[in-house]
Structures are given as C-alpha cells and as structure tokens.
Amino acid sequence: MSYINKYLRNFKPYSVASHKVWTVDAEDRNSILKLDWNEATLEPSPLVKERLFKLLNTDFLHLYPATYNAKLHELLSKYVELPMDNVQYFASSDSLHEYISKLYITVGDPALILWPSYDNFRLTAQVAGAHVMFFELSDDFTFDSEAFETKIERKQPSLVYICNPNNPTGLLLEKEYIRHLLETFDTTMFLIDEAYIEFEPDKSCKDLVLQYENILITRTMSKAFGLANVRFGYLIASSDNIKYISSIRNPKNITTFAQEAVIGALSDVEYMRRYVQRVNEARAYFIKEINDKYSDRFVAHTGHGNFVMIECCDKLTKCEIIDYLERNNVFVRNICQSEIVQDCVRVTIGTLDQMQYVAALFGKYYNM
C-alpha cells in the first residue's frame, strides 16, 4: 500500500453496469436489449463495415497505426463546421479526459463537477491529483445557477466539468449561459462534455472555442454514430489548446480499425441523423407512455440525450423493475452515484419498436 500514489489510496472505483451481452454466444445477443450503457441500439452506417472489410484485405497488422490521418481530420472539421486547427482526435473521450486532466489540473487543484454526472470523469480527475468537489442539482433535478456560480467564486476551481446534455438527468444548459460562465470566470477552464449533443445539435457550444480560451469540448462517436466498440473521441477547442494537448498526446493510440470506421461513419452523416430522429421520436413516445399510464409509480423525466431517467416511487420498486426487465433480457442502468437519484433508473432509448416493447414490460410489471 505504501507504494501506491497517496492520492489513490482511498479512491472509489468507477462502477460499470452489467455486460452480460458478452457472456452469451454471438447468435444469442439479438435476444438481449442492452439499454444500460447508452450505446446505439442499431448498427452504424453500412459504409463502416464496407471500409473495414476492405481494410482486412490489406497488410497492416504488423504496422503501428497512422499517426496522422488527413482524411479523417478533414471529415471531422467538416462535420463540426470549424477549422482543422480547432479539432483533434483521440482513442475515446475517456482517453481524452485523461489527457485534459494531466494538462489542466495540478496536484491538489480543486475541480468542480456538476452532479450527478458521468462518474468516470470523477475518477479521472482524482487520479490526476485533483481535489474533486460536487455541485448537486436540486432534489427536483433543477439547476440553481446562482448557487452554482457562488460555489465557483468561493472554491476557485481550476477546472469545471459539465456534461451537457447531462448524464443521467438529461438536463441541458443553454449556450448563452455557458458563455456567461466563460466570461465571468475567465481564469477557470470549463470542460463541456457533449457526448450526447447529436440529439440536440443546435444546442452545441462548439462555436465558443473561436472566442474563448477557457473552454474545452469533448465528444464521442459511441452514441449517435454507433461506434462504441472502436473507442474514438475528439476535442473541440481553441487552436492554442489543441496545440498544447497535441504535444502530450500519443498519436499512435488510435487504431487503424478506429480510423477507418470513423471515416466510414463521417462519410454518411445523414445515416446518423436519420437514426437520431428515430431516437428522439421514440424518446417522446416512451416518456409520454410512462407518464400517462404509470405515473403513480414511475416518472419519466424529459431529457435531451438518447436516454431517459425514470424516477421510481421507492427503492423497492426500483430494484424490482430492474430485476423484472433483466429477467426479460432488457438491461437498464441502476443510478446510484448521488443521493438524489437513489430511486432512479436510466433507460437508453432505441427505436420506436424497441421502446414499445420496453413500455409494455413496464405495463406488465405495473399490473402484476
């Protein structure tokens, strides 16, 4: 124990949900509806597999991946509608968060997280030596902006992490409010995690990187683009911040498989947008169905990602619905990182057919 970094001797690990889908035979995976990790519930664009099949017919496995892929970089720049100097790609947004923590957090620095949120970043910041603090949403999951700003002013964090839209609550802070934070606290770096922004693309803060140095925006290809398995994320930031983080980035960590898969997905952005439209329509249906029929036991909160947070009437009901769904091969996320979500579950939203099936299971449980 004495050999371990003193900042990590009493840390709380990031808790992952069940991954039972990988314990069954491949042919049986279609019987499982995996709604616990906010992955896409359909395969990505056919162009992804097309490029991967072509790749497998070439000799490349004995070589390290390309350290710079101009075509990939150009497609990312075109997709986000920003200059290439404002974009850099990484082997997942989780990996990117590690680089950000190394670069923008000094050991002992306070770091503030809008909470509850994606818990893996909490661990990443702690590993970097940050003194992690939390600003909790109110008991009704609303955001007190005045109290939030008071805490920033009092604690003077070197970095503030905001998942926007928020995971797991679905809360979305408006771009003009983020701009206000950047201007009010110009010595604090704001990390805006836009993992779910494809489901509300007009709400992105991406344009702010052209005006402000104290904002970093991270994104992933794991959600709307359906590429969770290839582990690919990217940073949107000022050109100076891109230069700084690129100087410590390991450029050979993005596999050739990932690079080719992302090129395929970005060559067919309309496929992703059609999927997003289906998810948003299914989300609206699912929220209405739960709230119209089962509101005395469940409340489905309006959100802005590919998921819905459902508040159960008590902890027993929460445990029972998770177990009932699992016995019917539907996996949802048990939320437990904060006291205010102790009675909540998070359900990834898929297609309308999939959500009709899940809603019907809620009905069967309700009527038992």
Side-chain angles (χ1 to χ4, degrees):
M1 191 70 171
S2 62
Y3 298 103
I4 297 176
N5 183 328
K6 66 180 179 180
Y7 296 101
L8 302 180
R9 291 175 189 171
N10 297 300
F11 75 94
K12 176 186 174 184
Y14 169 61
S15 178
V16 297
S18 167
H19 227 189
K20 187 178 178 180
V21 69
W22 292 110
T23 68
V24 301
D25 293 336
E27 58 268 22
D28 294 327
R29 286 184 196 140
N30 288 335
S31 67
I32 293 176
L33 188 51
K34 192 172 182 302
L35 304 179
D36 53 353
W37 282 32
N38 290 346
E39 300 134 315
T41 61
L42 297 180
E43 288 288 294
S45 164
L47 292 185
V48 172
K49 284 188 176 180
E50 182 180 312
R51 291 193 72 90
L52 292 178
F53 286 144
K54 289 181 179 178
L55 176 65
L56 289 173
N57 288 323
T58 66
D59 295 327
F60 71 99
L61 290 172
H62 60 295
L63 302 173
Y64 281 107
T67 57
Y68 177 67
N69 190 317
K71 182 176 180 64
L72 173 54
H73 200 174
E74 289 167 5
L75 284 171
L76 275 174
S77 174
K78 179 181 178 181
Y79 172 63
V80 301
E81 300 177 317
L82 289 171
M84 292 172 65
D85 288 348
N86 295 109
V87 184
Q88 182 59 281
Y89 57 89
F90 294 78
S92 80
S93 58
D94 288 331
S95 173
L96 170 53
H97 289 164
E98 293 175 7
Y99 282 112
I100 288 173
S101 296
K102 291 175 183 177
L103 190 60
Y104 296 96
I105 295 175
T106 301
V107 171
D109 278 355
L112 181 64
I113 300 177
L114 180 57
W115 198 251
S117 190
Y118 178 46
D119 188 46
N120 193 60
F121 182 77
R122 181 268 314 164
L123 176 60
T124 297
Q126 287 180 335
V127 169
H131 172 56
V132 174
M133 302 172 297
F134 305 99
F135 179 83
E136 291 262 5
L137 297 178
S138 302
D139 289 345
D140 60 355
F141 309 111
T142 56
F143 173 67
D144 186 336
S145 60
E146 183 176 343
F148 184 59
E149 292 172 47
T150 297
K151 186 154 189 173
I152 296 175
E153 180 66 34
R154 190 172 71 249
K155 297 297 185 180
Q156 295 291 303
S158 61
L159 186 143
V160 174
Y161 175 78
I162 300 173
C163 186
N164 201 46
N166 174 265
N167 168 24
T169 66
L171 173 74
L172 179 67
L173 301 184
E174 295 293 334
K175 180 170 75 172
E176 288 310 306
Y177 180 68
I178 300 296
R179 184 195 302 275
H180 164 72
L181 292 175
L182 299 176
E183 294 180 349
T184 305
F185 305 103
D186 58 358
T187 61
T188 295
M189 180 61 76
F190 288 85
L191 170 50
I192 312 299
D193 187 339
E194 290 191 346
Y196 302 96
I197 202 62
E198 274 80 15
F199 300 95
E200 290 283 359
D202 294 339
K203 302 294 186 178
S204 174
C205 295
K206 63 186 178 66
D207 296 339
L208 297 180
V209 306
L210 299 176
Q211 300 172 259
Y212 303 95
E213 290 289 336
N214 59 327
I215 179 172
L216 306 168
I217 297 175
T218 61
R219 289 188 178 181
T220 178
M221 301 293 287
S222 297
K223 312 302 180 183
F225 281 97
L227 294 179
N229 202 294
V230 308
R231 313 306 298 129
F232 186 95
Y234 59 98
L235 174 67
I236 303 172
S238 72
S239 57
D240 282 344
N241 281 317
I242 293 293
K243 288 177 184 176
Y244 294 142
I245 202 161
S246 295
S247 69
I248 66 169
R249 164 182 172 268
N250 188 334
K252 66 178 186 296
N253 278 357
I254 303 92
T255 70
T256 304
F257 290 103
Q259 294 179 38
E260 288 298 307
V262 172
I263 288 174
L266 289 175
S267 298
D268 192 8
V269 172
E270 284 307 310
Y271 179 94
M272 177 275 293
R273 289 179 177 146
R274 289 193 299 270
Y275 174 69
V276 164
Q277 183 177 355
R278 294 178 69 183
V279 169
N280 286 346
E281 291 171 353
R283 184 183 66 205
Y285 157 81
F286 187 67
I287 291 173
K288 187 176 187 303
E289 188 77 0
I290 297 298
N291 290 340
D292 284 355
K293 294 184 177 179
Y294 318 119
S295 59
D296 58 326
R297 300 190 74 178
F298 303 104
V299 175
H301 289 267
T302 300
H304 299 273
N306 67 333
F307 57 88
V308 167
M309 185 177 74
I310 297 180
E311 187 176 4
C312 306
C313 60
D314 52 44
K315 288 186 176 62
L316 176 61
T317 299
K318 168 182 174 173
C319 294
E320 286 181 348
I321 189 62
I322 290 173
D323 179 67
Y324 181 77
L325 292 172
E326 183 173 334
R327 283 188 277 115
N328 286 275
N329 281 336
V330 175
F331 290 83
V332 298
R333 189 63 174 254
N334 179 3
I335 312 174
C336 54
Q337 66 262 53
S338 170
E339 185 61 34
I340 67 171
V341 294
Q342 289 302 306
D343 294 338
C344 298
V345 297
R346 190 193 69 199
V347 182
T348 303
I349 300 298
T351 64
L352 182 58
D353 287 348
Q354 290 168 336
M355 301 323 296
Q356 287 173 336
Y357 175 70
V358 177
L361 288 177
F362 268 83
K364 290 178 181 178
Y365 165 81
Y366 181 83
N367 292 309
M368 279 183 357

